[in-house]
Amino acid sequence: MDFFAFVIWPYVALAIFVVGHVWRWRHDQFGWTSRTSQLLERKWLGLASPLFHVGALLVILGHIAGLLVPAELTEALGVSEHLYHSIAVGGGVLAGVLMGVGLVLLIIRRVVFRDRLRLVTTRGDIVLYVLLSVIVFFGFVETVGHNVVGPGYDYRKTVAIWFRSIFIIHPEWTLMASAPFAYRVHATLGFALFAIWPFSRLVHVWSVPIGYLARPYIVYRGTRLATKERGS
Amino acid sequence: MRIFAQMAMVMNLDKCIGCHTCSVTCKQTWTNRDGVEYAWFNNVETKPGIGYPKAWEDQERWKGGWALDSSGKLRLVSGGRIRRLTGIFANPDLPSIDDYYEPVTYDFDTLLTQPVGKGMPVARPLSALTGKPTSITWGPNWEDDLAGAGTTATQDPNMKRLAAKAKMEFEKSFMFYLPRICEHCLNPACMSACPSGAIYKRERDGIVLVDQDKCRGWRMCVTGCPYKKIYINHATGLAEKCTFCYPRIEAGLPTVCGETCVGRLRYIGLILYDLDAVEAATLVADHELLEAQRQVFLDPFSPEVIKAAQAQSIPPEWIEAAQRSPVWALAMKHKVALPLHPEYRTLPMVWYIPPLSPVLDVTAEVGGDPVLPDDIFHAVTSLRIPLDYLAELLTAGDTDQVAGVLMKLAAMRAHMRTRTLNAETDHDMLARVGASAEELEDLYRLLGIAKMADRYVIPPAHTEDAAMLNAWTSGCSLSDASGVGPGGVGYPRAASGPVPVELRRRK
């Protein structure tokens, strides 16, 4: 069971993630959009969407710091365990609250204004909302339940090492056996998020328009003239 | 001097009867689909009025177009690039569907299925969005013929700027129709606001289009466009806009709105312009904007321009079309056409001949004779309200420019009247408007007689270019921006490749 959840499933999910994106890009750039619903409802979105997105970006940064940065590195840099723990838990709670509140408001918005918003709510959106909610919930269980209220759990000794080991094709899945239930569910569902990513509206993340900062304001396109085109 | 060609339009507002045929045929052609029920690429507004969407000209609220900052640089009213990206999670200046209107259909089924009874069956309005019963409280032409103007016309942003001078009094009211499409600007704010770079201007004819494969639905273009002529399709989440009916233009046909215009008030033709002069024309003071915009256009009869155009491989039939262009004649030769809100600094390419009829009405009301040029001239200059209003609309507040055009139109009428009556030509009047008898007769032919072939001078695309024109729509916007984008001269992507599918189910 653990072998499936922490070895096979991550690789399957990542394969779907990669192949899915290639497929989606080749076949559905038309649908590759943030699928804005602001036209139909403006007020709630104005509060909830920035909360959710800023929170989500902080959460992603937190995961990078927690999972990809080895504990040895922060120790070598002189960051004490206590300091790391305070930043991780404090920042994690803040980011989680922003994202969680935003997510809850966005879901309430979809329900309250369902007459109009059902026009732009697909089954994929509902799956995404449910999955994200469950993942965020278990994220809170980890951060608040285990590390604020509870005795604390050093995921950097198990979960983080397992996560990095996946990417060097040497999965140390046995490390996850000792991890608390919340961590195990959170990780498994996290990979589910990667698996549905290319088929959901999440693809808009890869279109974050940083190129806008550098591109010329006015865009001309096409070859201007028939004769020039023929000659060239 | 880099010579580009622009497909442009002029509308003669005196001839618009407000029949909405252009809007209806446009809708049937382009927006008769899910997701754009509320969108009218062409709409006709009654002015004064707040229009569609509500108060679109109020840029303090909607933040459309460009403005000069304190150092004289051109900036989008909605803010710079970084400001725009920080607003990407929720655009603070986006109109919602209620600022347009809730589209409706009717419960026609009831008319057929209601059992025999005492009462007449009634088809109640249903929201086209939700399918539920709704009451109609606003629409795209809610203010038709000044309906409800007592409450809305005073909210017209142009009226507000006139402040105390122009109270909307019923006895002194005036009205005219304003048909509006995308302006296909030379300095489009929608394009500049687009984070994805999905909006582009075709080098061949200047038509502004949205690449539906590149649009990511960041909805900044809706805010950027001061004319609010770019719409979110809520079914696809992508931006859509007036296409200037480019498939028809490529075939040498006028746009659908032009083809079906009952009043024959639209003129379509080419304008040659100097790309290198565009930027400077956006940087002058408000009162110089009109003249600066005219300076961007190149005289297609000038030997120097013709030579340069040939050197830049503009086909001879395009140069000839530019010479026969009614847009050139009305905007540049006779100078009777004016741009809509030049103070937005987008260099709009749909221009308007201001309507004389509000002034003629007022002339009669104050006891003048609307066929006597002196009485009309007097009305033009002394009765400020219609004049000031038109100036707010067409010349950034410069009443002299509008008065000049109106006097020329009045002089044209008077001159043709003397011709019909075999009376003596009034040279004094001609001198006052600075036009010769021949010029006024030429203008008369253009405004009063012009047949289809004179109103629409459109050189068709070469058929051998059809595949290339098609490929543009899916090419890469930046690498193809020859001379403009960082990629230099590029070539459109081949039309082959994977067949696109849509992941989302269609409703």
Side-chain angles (χ1 to χ4, degrees):
Chain A
M1 183 66 196
D2 273 7
F3 183 75
F4 176 80
F6 302 114
V7 179
I8 296 178
W9 174 233
Y11 285 118
V12 169
L14 289 174
I16 297 174
F17 180 80
V18 172
V19 176
H21 272 105
V22 173
W23 180 84
R24 180 91 188 261
W25 181 256
R26 285 169 64 86
H27 291 274
D28 184 36
Q29 289 189 42
F30 178 75
W32 192 291
T33 138
S34 58
R35 304 248 332 280
T36 174
S37 59
Q38 195 180 355
L39 176 77
L40 298 175
E41 198 289 318
R42 184 169 58 185
K43 278 188 189 143
W44 280 59
L45 186 90
L47 174 69
S49 175
L51 273 181
F52 171 78
H53 280 94
V54 171
L57 289 175
L58 290 175
V59 165
I60 291 168
L61 284 180
H63 278 74
I64 291 172
L67 293 176
L68 294 184
V69 178
E72 294 80 18
L73 183 66
T74 49
E75 274 161 27
L77 291 172
V79 180
S80 73
E81 174 60 27
H82 179 71
L83 180 65
Y84 175 87
H85 189 79
S86 316
I87 294 174
V89 170
V93 169
L94 173 73
V97 165
L98 289 178
M99 182 179 175
V101 169
L103 184 61
V104 168
L105 287 177
L106 286 173
I107 292 171
I108 294 175
R109 169 178 176 268
R110 292 267 168 181
V111 175
V112 170
F113 301 99
R114 60 186 174 282
D115 275 359
R116 282 182 176 179
L117 290 182
R118 75 177 169 76
L119 290 172
V120 293
T121 308
T122 60
R123 269 171 290 183
D125 291 343
I126 296 169
V127 171
L128 189 59
Y129 273 127
V130 171
L131 186 61
L132 267 181
S133 304
V134 176
I135 293 174
V136 171
F137 171 77
F138 280 105
F140 270 113
V141 173
E142 293 167 23
T143 310
V144 180
H146 285 284
N147 284 318
V148 178
V149 184
Y153 175 72
D154 192 354
Y155 53 84
R156 300 214 293 169
K157 292 214 171 73
T158 55
V159 182
I161 295 172
W162 161 74
F163 186 78
R164 289 196 298 273
S165 73
I166 289 170
F167 294 93
I168 53 172
I169 326 284
H170 192 266
E172 299 179 35
W173 55 282
T174 45
L175 287 171
M176 289 302 283
S178 66
F181 178 72
Y183 285 88
R184 293 159 56 89
V185 176
H186 186 83
T188 311
L189 291 181
F191 276 103
L193 191 65
F194 283 117
I196 67 163
W197 195 300
F199 312 104
S200 72
R201 64 195 303 175
L202 286 180
V203 290
H204 78 271
V205 171
W206 310 121
S207 295
V208 56
I210 29 178
Y212 179 61
L213 295 172
R215 80 165 173 85
Y217 262 153
I218 305 299
V219 179
Y220 276 86
R221 192 192 284 190
T223 310
R224 179 153 50 129
L225 305 158
T227 45
K228 189 172 157 193
E229 171 69 13
R230 280 197 298 271
S232 57
Chain B
M1 183 163 64
R2 277 185 290 170
I3 302 181
F4 276 48
Q6 169 79 37
M7 198 52 77
M9 188 185 279
V10 167
M11 300 194 212
N12 182 359
L13 294 183
D14 251 335
K15 294 175 118 185
C16 183
I17 59 170
C19 67
H20 298 279
T21 305
C22 46
S23 307
V24 172
T25 51
C26 173
K27 186 141 199 70
Q28 291 288 22
T29 309
W30 290 106
T31 56
N32 190 11
R33 293 171 285 127
D34 281 350
V36 280
E37 305 92 346
Y38 76 101
W40 296 80
F41 292 170
N42 182 110
N43 74 300
V44 183
E45 297 174 5
T46 299
K47 288 287 176 186
I50 61 176
Y52 157 86
K54 291 174 189 166
W56 59 272
E57 289 154 296
D58 184 355
Q59 304 310 344
E60 282 170 30
R61 179 171 174 202
W62 297 124
K63 308 270 193 284
W66 302 89
L68 294 182
D69 66 11
S70 49
S71 60
K73 280 201 189 129
L74 198 64
R75 287 180 61 90
L76 286 167
V77 176
S78 55
R81 296 170 196 259
I82 291 170
R83 168 80 199 283
R84 179 143 313 93
L85 291 191
T86 56
I88 207 159
F89 301 138
N91 178 354
D93 308 310
L94 187 79
S96 79
I97 188 85
D98 297 311
D99 291 303
Y100 297 88
Y101 70 107
E102 173 130 9
V104 293
T105 179
Y106 289 89
D107 179 19
F108 295 111
D109 272 0
T110 306
L111 301 182
L112 301 172
T113 58
Q114 182 162 310
V116 178
K118 281 182 194 162
M120 287 285 280
V122 174
R124 294 197 180 282
L126 303 174
S127 165
L129 297 177
T130 66
K132 299 199 168 158
T134 185
S135 48
I136 304 172
T137 55
W138 191 259
N141 59 340
W142 198 252
E143 308 161 294
D144 237 17
D145 296 342
L146 293 185
T151 48
T152 58
T154 49
Q155 303 302 309
D156 180 335
N158 301 300
M159 274 305 214
K160 278 184 173 168
R161 281 196 290 274
L162 301 186
K165 263 195 293 184
K167 286 208 188 97
M168 192 65 190
E169 293 171 41
F170 186 72
E171 306 80 40
K172 290 187 192 164
S173 66
F174 63 96
M175 58 161 263
F176 58 94
Y177 303 104
L178 182 70
R180 299 204 298 122
I181 63 171
C182 166
E183 298 280 344
H184 296 277
C185 307
L186 294 186
N187 184 34
C190 61
M191 183 187 292
S192 307
C194 173
S196 309
I199 304 175
Y200 63 98
K201 200 166 172 63
R202 307 209 307 181
E203 291 193 2
R204 166 183 306 254
D205 50 20
I207 293 175
V208 176
L209 296 174
V210 183
D211 186 334
Q212 296 285 300
D213 274 356
K214 291 279 174 292
C215 175
R216 300 286 173 255
W218 301 123
R219 70 229 166 314
M220 295 298 166
C221 52
V222 181
T223 300
C225 175
Y227 302 97
K228 291 291 168 280
K229 274 294 170 191
I230 201 154
Y231 303 89
I232 298 287
N233 178 328
H234 59 74
T236 64
L238 307 177
E240 292 189 17
K241 65 182 287 300
C242 160
T243 64
F244 213 81
C245 290
Y246 71 88
R248 293 176 58 93
I249 294 290
E250 285 167 14
L253 296 169
T255 61
V256 163
C257 55
E259 172 96 50
T260 59
C261 177
V262 173
R264 301 181 182 185
L265 59 96
R266 297 190 189 223
Y267 299 81
I268 299 173
L270 278 181
I271 282 276
L272 298 180
Y273 69 97
D274 180 4
L275 184 68
D276 297 322
V278 169
E279 193 183 356
T282 64
L283 296 172
V284 300
D286 270 4
H287 66 279
E288 294 166 350
L289 275 169
L290 174 60
E291 201 44 48
Q293 299 198 4
R294 285 180 176 146
Q295 294 291 330
V296 174
F297 302 149
L298 298 170
D299 183 352
F301 297 97
S302 143
E304 191 192 327
V305 170
I306 293 172
K307 211 174 142 200
Q310 281 166 343
Q312 296 181 33
S313 311
I314 291 187
E317 58 266 44
W318 280 59
I319 299 173
E320 195 233 314
Q323 289 171 340
R324 289 195 296 122
S325 168
V327 175
W328 170 264
L330 292 168
M332 296 300 289
K333 185 177 162 202
H334 297 293
K335 290 191 174 13
V336 291
L338 302 167
L340 181 63
H341 286 300
E343 74 275 18
Y344 296 161
R345 296 172 188 272
T346 62
L347 273 66
M349 285 296 113
V350 175
W351 287 30
Y352 294 88
I353 302 174
L356 194 55
S357 49
V359 180
L360 297 182
D361 292 346
V362 177
T363 309
E365 273 161 30
V366 296
D369 185 343
V371 301
L372 291 179
D374 279 340
D375 284 12
I376 299 169
F377 288 2
H378 180 258
V380 164
T381 48
S382 66
L383 297 164
R384 305 301 305 183
I385 296 176
L387 192 64
D388 285 343
Y389 186 87
L390 289 171
E392 287 293 335
L393 208 62
L394 299 170
T395 60
D398 183 348
T399 49
D400 288 351
Q401 292 275 5
V402 177
V405 173
L406 293 178
M407 286 186 192
K408 196 173 210 176
L409 294 174
M412 178 195 75
R413 287 174 176 230
H415 175 68
M416 294 314 294
R417 184 176 153 86
T418 59
R419 291 244 336 224
T420 310
L421 300 176
N422 278 327
E424 192 115 333
T425 301
D426 186 347
H427 291 287
D428 184 41
M429 178 189 74
L430 295 183
R432 265 191 287 169
V433 298
S436 68
E438 291 73 38
E439 280 172 355
L440 289 186
E441 284 158 28
D442 182 46
L443 180 61
Y444 162 74
R445 275 192 294 276
L446 200 51
L447 295 183
I449 296 179
K451 301 294 184 194
M452 194 101 170
D454 303 313
R455 281 181 281 126
Y456 306 127
V457 180
I458 301 157
H462 288 268
T463 42
E464 63 267 31
D465 297 338
M468 185 196 65
L469 286 166
N470 191 35
W472 285 3
T473 57
S474 51
C476 169
S477 57
L478 290 177
S479 61
D480 286 357
S482 54
V484 181
V489 180
Y491 298 95
R493 194 173 71 189
S496 61
V499 182
V501 295
E502 280 170 53
L503 201 62
R504 260 166 13 78
R505 84 196 132 87
R506 278 275 192 202
K507 292 206 174 65

